[in-house]
């Protein structure tokens, strides 16, 4: 079945789109996606393939999720998320996810899976794993830690989201700045006071990108006060 999936991906390949994707996902030397290979599929096409091959078993998913081809990895992530939702033993998919983090190595792969698998699993469990990931030296593991907390925020469970945001607040990568800003914004969507309590402590020293994302839904007058350091 995995060979059939790969053939379907090859049939949908578009070299022009692949070139655009390679530039968009920063695959050049020294960039965050260095060496990643694209064949040029649209995300909706990959979601259709994920549904078609939803019954792919974990040994084949392991091959896909560690493929050098980005679209194969993302399709595997979509299948894994679907498996997790339907699984009677969700720990199996979570353990698989954690064992194959090397394949979750670009922002779309992280953002399509972290909160839907790891975050959801940890809703009623110890969350130490997120702190270990947040303190790692790996960009994607740090982003997984932050994005996983998106599963908690709708429950108005902000504690770990804010703690991990604080750990990552002064990270040197823009992709972490964005993730932190999004997290704070989502907290603020549920509880503006909780977000502002965090911001009042950190907004003058936090990266500008993180701040802009965090306050993008604030009333304009208040947003300007934060940007000018007058909040």
């Amino acid at each position: 079945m995995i060979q059939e999936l790969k053939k379907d991906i090859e049939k949908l390949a578009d070299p022009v789109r692949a070139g655009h994707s390679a530039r968009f996902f920063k695959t050049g030397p020294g960039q965050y996606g260095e060496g990643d290979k694209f064949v040029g599929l649209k995300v909706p096409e990959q979601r259709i393939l994920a549904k078609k091959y939803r019954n792919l078993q974990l040994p084949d998913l392991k091959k896909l999720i560690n493929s050098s081809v980005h679209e194969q990895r993302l399709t595997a992530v979509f299948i894994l998320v679907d498996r997790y939702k339907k699984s009677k033993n969700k720990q199996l998919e979570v353990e698989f996810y954690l064992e194959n983090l090397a394949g979750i190595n670009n922002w779309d792969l992280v953002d399509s899976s972290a909160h839907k698998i790891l975050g959801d699993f940890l809703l009623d469990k110890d969350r130490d794993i997120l702190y270990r990931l947040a303190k790692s030296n790996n960009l994607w593991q740090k982003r997984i830690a932050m994005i996983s907390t998106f599963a908690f925020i709708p429950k108005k469970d902000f504690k770990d989201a804010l703690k991990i945001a604080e750990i990552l607040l002064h990270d040197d990568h823009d992709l972490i700045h964005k993730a932190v800003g999004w997290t704070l914004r989502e907290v603020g969507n549920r509880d503006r006071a909780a977000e502002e309590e965090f911001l009042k402590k950190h907004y003058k020293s936090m990266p500008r990108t993180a701040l802009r994302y965090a306050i993008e839904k604030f009333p304009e007058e208040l947003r300007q006060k934060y940007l000018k350091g007058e909040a």
Side-chain angles (χ1 to χ4, degrees):
M1 186 176 285
I2 188 174
Q3 293 306 323
E4 294 173 6
L5 171 54
K6 289 181 177 180
K7 287 179 182 178
D8 281 350
I9 288 176
E10 289 174 7
K11 289 176 186 176
L12 293 167
D14 181 338
V16 174
R17 186 178 295 112
H20 291 319
S21 295
R23 289 187 291 274
F24 183 72
F25 285 95
K26 309 295 184 185
T27 63
Q31 295 182 310
Y32 63 73
E34 180 176 359
D36 206 352
K37 297 178 182 177
F38 287 82
V39 295
L41 271 71
K42 298 177 182 177
V43 170
E45 292 173 331
Q46 293 170 78
R47 290 192 182 278
I48 290 171
L49 289 177
K51 289 181 181 179
K52 180 178 178 180
Y53 293 97
R54 61 163 60 98
N55 294 323
L56 208 63
Q57 297 303 301
L58 291 181
D60 283 336
L61 274 183
K62 184 176 180 67
K63 295 175 184 177
L64 277 184
I65 211 164
N66 288 289
S67 169
S68 62
V69 177
H70 189 100
E71 289 90 345
Q72 290 186 17
R73 299 199 307 281
L74 185 56
T75 301
V77 163
F78 291 152
I79 294 172
L80 186 63
V81 168
D82 183 66
R83 276 186 60 111
Y84 174 83
K85 288 178 181 178
K86 298 174 180 177
S87 178
K88 294 180 180 179
N89 179 18
K90 295 181 184 298
Q91 187 167 343
L92 185 65
E93 282 75 25
V94 172
E95 288 177 354
F96 177 90
Y97 187 75
L98 293 173
E99 288 168 1
N100 292 279
L101 288 182
I104 313 297
N105 60 353
N106 217 313
W107 58 262
D108 60 331
L109 298 159
V110 173
D111 296 1
S112 297
S113 62
H115 58 304
K116 295 179 179 180
I117 298 176
L118 185 57
D120 182 83
F121 185 71
L122 296 176
L123 279 170
D124 59 353
K125 296 176 181 65
D126 181 271
R127 299 169 185 176
D128 282 352
I129 180 64
L130 297 184
Y131 291 87
R132 293 199 295 273
L133 292 173
K135 293 174 182 177
S136 78
N137 293 320
N138 182 281
L139 167 63
W140 307 117
Q141 291 185 17
K142 288 185 281 190
R143 189 170 171 107
I144 286 169
M146 192 75 271
I147 298 300
S148 290
T149 69
F150 276 49
F152 315 148
I153 293 171
K155 312 289 186 183
K156 294 192 175 181
D157 179 358
F158 309 137
K159 180 180 177 181
D160 294 294
L162 295 174
K163 282 186 174 182
I164 291 172
E166 194 165 37
I167 290 170
L168 295 174
L169 194 59
H170 297 290
D171 190 87
D172 59 4
H173 204 290
D174 184 64
L175 286 175
I176 301 299
H177 301 169
K178 290 178 180 178
V180 169
W182 292 335
T183 302
L184 296 174
R185 180 193 65 197
E186 291 305 304
V187 169
N189 285 343
R190 275 83 179 179
D191 188 334
R192 173 70 61 77
E195 182 186 6
E196 288 210 66
E197 182 179 354
F198 182 96
L199 288 176
K200 291 289 176 63
K201 183 178 178 182
H202 298 291
Y203 85 97
K204 290 186 177 180
S205 64
M206 66 192 289
R208 202 70 169 175
T209 296
L211 178 61
R212 286 186 178 278
Y213 278 105
I215 63 175
E216 66 179 353
K217 293 188 177 181
F218 281 20
E220 183 60 19
E221 183 178 354
L222 179 59
R223 199 176 72 85
Q224 288 301 323
K225 285 183 177 180
Y226 273 103
L227 292 173
K228 294 175 182 177
E230 300 170 354

